[in-house]
Amino acid sequence: MTADGGPELVQLLTPEGERVHHPDYDVELTPDQLRGLYRDLVLVRRVDAEATALQRQGELGLWAQCVGQEAAQVGSGRALAPGDFAFPTYREHGVAWSRGVQPLQLLGLFRGVTNGGWDPHEHNMALYTIVIGDQTLHAVGYAMGMQRDGDDSAVICYFGDGASSQGDVNEAFVFSAVYNAPVVFFCQNNQWAISEPLERQTRIPLYRRADGFGFPGVRVDGNDVLAVLAVTQAALAAAREGQGPTLIEAFTYRMGAHTTSDDPTRYRVAADLEAWKLKDPIERLKVYLARNGWAGHEWFAEIEAEAEALAVDLRRGCREMPEPEKTSMFDHVYAEPHALVDEERAQFEAYHASFVGGGH
């Protein structure tokens, strides 16, 4: 497996910002649309950086960084139609942005003041899943339900290279293939399953695993937002047309830590990180825009100013989040009242009332 993704990699924008074409996948965007993608990438990175800083200041319990993976997330998120449904893991901040989930809703989850963060049906995006690989089965089940309802939309399911080693993922592949479910599996291969490198998890490129289950697999440059958009649009279209699942392997790199509780300097070499900085998804699109005269210094400065204003709002909003009622965890277990949940709530309230002052 080569460090540049190999000859099978679908790429439409080189790390040097040069536009290339692919015989099977392509996308034509207007300058406005290209600027929109650039804005998304910059703002998502700013959200990520601000959340990391807030965690270091003790305002968040944890944060899973997505720095370096913005193109994989924005490109695939923008490929979704309004009726499609996304099942994320816990790092898909760019997908959440694309689906209209407010960044403060993400921060609320990591601050521990909400048990979810947003209404999944409002954004057609499920809540974050911390358990590795679980959401792949949820996604396939949801896709099979849509299929039986006659819905012509599709499902996309996100996971990482580490999750590809989980049994749940393999079971999801089996069910999706057998039932021809309208689902796109989107694997962000960021090279590391926490501290475990990819070469210790597989002998073949991840996208080729799809062969064994009988559906197509594609490897795309995960730092190329145009290629990700084109490949994901094609896979979603195939799913909607009844052609079943596709596995997309977005070949990228986790430039930050696994989470803010991790120290990647203990298990990977600095030279790798420096090499991947040259493939930065934001810089290559910036070069492409500037080279074609579609954006200049003034416009780029406006985007940077917008990003900084967003960060200011996040800092203030995060610190102003109200503490939840201590029994709120029982509120949405079932849609209707449930005797066992009511009993557990009463026990919980009695436990807290047993402390002096009753407020613990």
Side-chain angles (χ1 to χ4, degrees):
M1 195 178 304
T2 61
D4 63 358
E8 67 270 44
L9 191 76
V10 178
Q11 186 178 77
L12 299 180
L13 194 61
T14 70
E16 294 76 28
E18 296 176 354
R19 186 74 161 86
V20 294
H21 296 276
H22 190 277
D24 300 319
Y25 302 97
D26 214 339
V27 64
E28 293 298 332
L29 300 177
T30 66
D32 271 350
Q33 290 171 320
L34 290 166
R35 285 191 292 267
L37 288 174
Y38 180 84
R39 174 180 177 271
D40 286 344
L41 298 177
V42 171
L43 297 187
V44 168
R45 179 166 292 186
R46 193 67 185 89
V47 169
D48 192 56
E50 191 57 35
T52 302
L54 285 166
Q55 194 283 327
R56 296 306 189 208
Q57 295 162 17
E59 300 293 344
L60 303 180
L62 184 76
W63 182 252
Q65 294 175 283
C66 72
V67 58
Q69 299 178 222
E70 297 91 348
Q73 298 188 7
V74 169
S76 58
R78 289 300 183 200
L80 294 168
D84 296 335
F85 207 101
F87 284 81
T89 173
Y90 46 78
R91 198 190 303 280
E92 273 68 68
H93 316 318
V95 180
W97 173 270
S98 302
R99 300 302 279 173
V101 177
Q102 295 302 307
L104 271 177
Q105 293 176 298
L106 302 177
L107 267 56
L109 179 64
F110 287 96
R111 189 175 171 84
V113 298
T114 171
N115 294 315
W118 61 88
D119 179 352
H121 291 289
E122 180 181 347
H123 299 282
N124 272 23
M125 178 170 172
L127 299 177
Y128 276 4
T129 305
I130 305 297
V131 179
I132 306 300
D134 256 18
Q135 74 282 5
T136 58
L137 288 169
H138 305 162
V140 173
Y142 195 90
M144 290 169 62
M146 292 170 70
Q147 183 185 53
R148 283 153 178 72
D149 287 343
D151 192 323
D152 59 0
S153 298
V155 167
I156 189 167
C157 179
Y158 293 88
F159 56 97
D161 48 287
S164 71
S165 299
Q166 292 287 88
D168 286 13
V169 175
N170 288 270
E171 291 163 9
F173 286 179
V174 170
F175 268 83
S176 66
V178 170
Y179 289 98
N180 205 43
V183 59
V184 174
F185 296 106
F186 193 94
C187 177
Q188 292 175 80
N189 175 8
N190 66 16
Q191 316 290 319
W192 292 92
I194 307 182
S195 58
E196 200 72 3
L198 182 66
E199 60 264 25
R200 293 183 186 170
Q201 300 183 71
T202 181
R203 292 186 176 185
I204 62 170
L206 291 176
Y207 78 96
R208 286 177 52 194
R209 286 189 177 180
D211 291 344
F213 296 91
F215 55 83
V218 185
R219 170 176 278 188
V220 62
D221 185 340
N223 285 21
D224 176 354
V225 69
L226 302 187
V228 172
L229 179 66
V231 168
T232 310
Q233 283 180 335
L236 288 167
R240 297 188 200 103
E241 293 166 1
Q243 298 178 39
T246 297
L247 170 61
I248 297 174
E249 177 193 358
F251 192 76
T252 183
Y253 190 76
R254 193 190 76 213
M255 296 179 73
H258 174 66
T259 68
T260 45
S261 65
D262 172 43
D263 178 8
T265 64
R266 299 183 64 179
Y267 54 79
R268 70 183 187 191
V269 298
D272 286 350
L273 177 60
E274 293 306 313
W276 275 92
K277 285 181 179 177
L278 300 176
K279 304 174 185 177
D280 188 283
I282 296 179
E283 289 305 314
R284 70 173 69 181
L285 184 54
K286 184 176 184 178
V287 170
Y288 182 56
L289 286 168
R291 182 177 293 156
N292 286 279
W294 295 328
H297 293 297
E298 186 176 340
W299 186 83
F300 288 122
E302 288 175 2
I303 297 299
E304 290 300 325
E306 183 180 0
E308 186 53 37
L310 175 60
V312 171
D313 287 344
L314 286 179
R315 283 197 293 275
R316 181 178 61 251
C318 181
R319 289 166 177 150
E320 291 177 351
M321 285 182 185
E323 292 295 318
E325 293 294 328
K326 59 180 178 294
T327 57
S328 61
M329 72 177 88
F330 299 99
D331 289 348
H332 302 292
V333 179
Y334 293 102
E336 301 292 334
H338 189 284
L340 179 59
V341 174
D342 291 343
E343 180 183 342
E344 291 174 342
R345 183 201 303 269
Q347 290 175 348
F348 188 73
E349 289 175 333
Y351 170 75
H352 278 271
S354 68
F355 292 96
V356 175
H360 295 276

